[in-house]
Amino acid sequence: MWRVSDYAFECLVVGAGPAGSAAAIAARRAGLEVLLIDASGKRRDKTCGDGLTPRAVHTLRRLGLESALPGYRNRGLKLHGFGGDVTAAWPDGRYGTVGSASPRVVFDNALVEEAAKAGATVWQDCPATGVDLRDGRIRSVTTARGEVAVKWVIVADGVRSPFGKLLGRTWHKSEVYGIAARSYCASPRSDDPWMHSHVELRDGAEAARAIQPGYGWIFPLGNGTVNLGCGALSTDARPARVNTKKLLVQYAAQQREAWGLGPEQDVASALLPMGGAVSNVAGPNWALIGDAAACVNPLNGEGIDYGLETAVMAVDLIAGAGKAADLTLAWPLALREAHGEAFSLARTAARLLTYPQFLPLAGPMAMRGLGGRYLMPAAARLMGNLVAEEDKDLVARAWRAAGRVAPRGGVLWGVD
């Protein structure tokens, strides 16, 4: 059945983050023989806010993976800036009202262990370094442990997607992308039940310093620490001229007294493709999911929920397709049908934030008075990816209607 190789598996999953582990678990439950590999070891880390929205929690529960969740729970978002404070509890809808947060070194390892329990073979410290690609179809993959013959490959190797690049994946930086830095700080408020975002993010302590096109965050982790970070939005045409690590230090200094913050630890930074702004995400027997496919909300950088969901979607498509399946067009179409409208609108809204004049004008109106009472709670719901297809309220209908007319562009999971 397979060509001569060192190993043979029906499904190879490249990358053992949340998306990859979820794909391995779903593939095992679909009856496939699965190999899950990752270039890093057991303490793999990623530049991330570590927040788990109710949408992510909902998907974990659907997969029967609630045991991977930490004991800490949060109730929603608190937004600060421009003279206003807005509290936005998680809405009572399809995804429930329970959010959480967990350091990625803990959360990712818990999901890898669940994949192993489900029967997947797991190889860590094992990068994928080469591919035998014929007529677009992957025949085998070269790994640090040998050559692996495969029927299906799911690529979940993160924002840089080195294996995806071998397959032709292209990131289009003309669209909005994120730049971010993250740290961990000890804090007596680590049990605070709210995720905090400061939408008025300045590049210094003085009020006169420039407002950055992004936000700062403090996400309590319930373990004596908080995840503190900052991010900005950028495009090739309007790059965010900011050193995110330096900005993080300034932001921590601004918040140190209120949060009793200890020194910043484990500082890391990253670039983040968003909103489906990549092309060549599938071939006859392979598909990119999660961050590798830029399945990240352009309004807040959230991607764990999309990673989990696209993992399940990809396996469902593979398992239900049969031997004659070809994912080359089917997978981009599935992504567009599931997330195209929302991502198109979010990219359009995020692009506005890259104009230096926009935030200083819109911020005060959004955070004060009627804007703070009605507009920002709705925005927080959208930032949390919490509009479900069956929601019929005004915010949901307006969001879907705007998404249908938002410009899609040619790079929404396009084909070069």
Side-chain angles (χ1 to χ4, degrees):
M1 183 181 299
W2 289 293
R3 56 172 289 178
V4 176
S5 296
D6 299 306
Y7 305 92
F9 287 86
E10 290 178 286
C11 182
L12 169 65
V13 181
V14 180
S21 291
I25 293 166
R28 281 297 302 137
R29 292 177 180 172
L32 300 177
E33 187 179 10
V34 179
L35 172 62
L36 172 65
I37 67 173
D38 195 275
S40 299
K42 289 186 177 181
R43 300 294 292 177
R44 75 186 304 281
D45 192 14
K46 182 199 169 185
T47 303
C48 183
D50 296 338
L52 297 170
T53 65
R55 185 166 179 162
V57 173
H58 172 77
T59 304
L60 288 169
R61 286 175 168 168
R62 282 179 53 209
L63 290 169
L65 300 176
E66 193 167 2
S67 61
L69 288 169
Y72 169 76
R73 298 290 186 268
N74 57 47
R75 297 164 54 189
L77 298 173
K78 285 195 173 184
L79 307 174
H80 313 278
F82 299 103
D85 295 284
V86 175
T87 298
W90 301 127
D92 187 7
R94 172 184 179 182
Y95 303 113
T97 59
V98 175
S100 186
S102 177
R104 289 292 296 270
V105 294
V106 176
F107 182 63
D108 288 18
N109 188 62
L111 290 181
V112 170
E113 290 180 351
E114 291 293 337
K117 290 178 184 177
T121 300
V122 179
W123 294 349
Q124 294 177 294
D125 290 312
C126 183
T129 58
V131 60
D132 181 359
L133 196 66
R134 304 182 189 181
D135 297 324
R137 180 177 293 274
I138 296 176
R139 304 294 181 176
S140 66
V141 174
T142 304
T143 77
R145 295 198 187 187
E147 186 177 8
V148 182
V150 295
K151 283 186 176 180
W152 303 100
V153 178
I154 296 176
V155 184
D157 57 347
V159 293
R160 290 178 293 177
S161 192
F163 190 73
K165 289 179 183 177
L166 294 179
L167 300 172
R169 180 251 204 189
T170 302
W171 173 14
H172 299 272
K173 292 186 179 180
S174 58
E175 298 295 331
V176 172
Y177 62 91
I179 58 175
R182 168 232 74 187
S183 68
Y184 294 102
C185 302
S187 172
R189 295 179 57 185
S190 73
D191 291 322
D192 188 307
W194 299 92
M195 301 168 69
H196 292 256
S197 294
H198 293 82
V199 295
E200 184 181 7
L201 183 62
R202 297 181 181 270
D203 62 0
E206 302 171 9
R209 300 295 292 274
I211 298 175
Q212 297 300 307
Y215 71 104
W217 71 77
I218 299 178
F219 294 168
L221 298 173
N223 63 356
T225 66
V226 297
N227 181 310
L228 180 145
C230 62
L233 297 171
S234 187
T235 68
D236 275 354
R238 291 179 299 281
R241 304 186 185 280
V242 59
N243 182 320
T244 52
K245 288 186 176 180
K246 181 179 178 181
L247 185 60
L248 180 148
V249 172
Q250 295 171 338
Y251 174 57
Q254 295 165 9
Q255 300 299 322
R256 179 151 281 116
E257 182 177 357
W259 283 83
L261 296 175
E264 302 87 61
Q265 304 289 336
D266 299 323
V267 178
S269 62
L271 300 179
L272 187 64
M274 296 174 163
V278 293
S279 53
N280 301 328
V281 297
N285 66 333
W286 55 270
L288 274 61
I289 65 173
D291 287 355
C295 292
V296 177
N297 189 328
L299 294 177
N300 67 346
E302 164 61 25
I304 293 176
D305 48 10
Y306 291 121
L308 297 172
E309 290 178 13
T310 54
V312 176
M313 287 169 54
V315 172
D316 286 347
L317 192 59
I318 290 170
K323 294 182 180 180
D326 188 327
L327 304 181
T328 307
L329 299 178
W331 180 238
L333 178 60
L335 289 174
R336 293 188 197 107
E337 289 179 343
H339 303 302
E341 291 181 358
F343 276 4
S344 295
L345 180 55
R347 286 194 335 197
T348 300
R351 194 176 297 115
L352 292 174
L353 295 173
T354 67
Y355 289 93
Q357 306 88 345
F358 180 80
L359 196 58
L361 292 174
M365 292 186 291
M367 290 296 295
R368 303 175 192 169
L370 293 177
R373 183 177 299 178
Y374 298 108
L375 178 61
M376 289 311 293
R381 179 179 170 192
L382 303 178
M383 289 170 64
N385 307 335
L386 299 177
V387 174
E389 186 62 34
E390 64 267 24
D391 291 343
K392 305 300 182 185
D393 59 277
L394 179 61
V395 171
R397 286 180 296 169
W399 178 254
R400 284 193 290 269
R404 285 191 287 270
V405 299
R408 297 292 180 94
V411 298
L412 189 69
W413 301 295
V415 178
D416 293 342

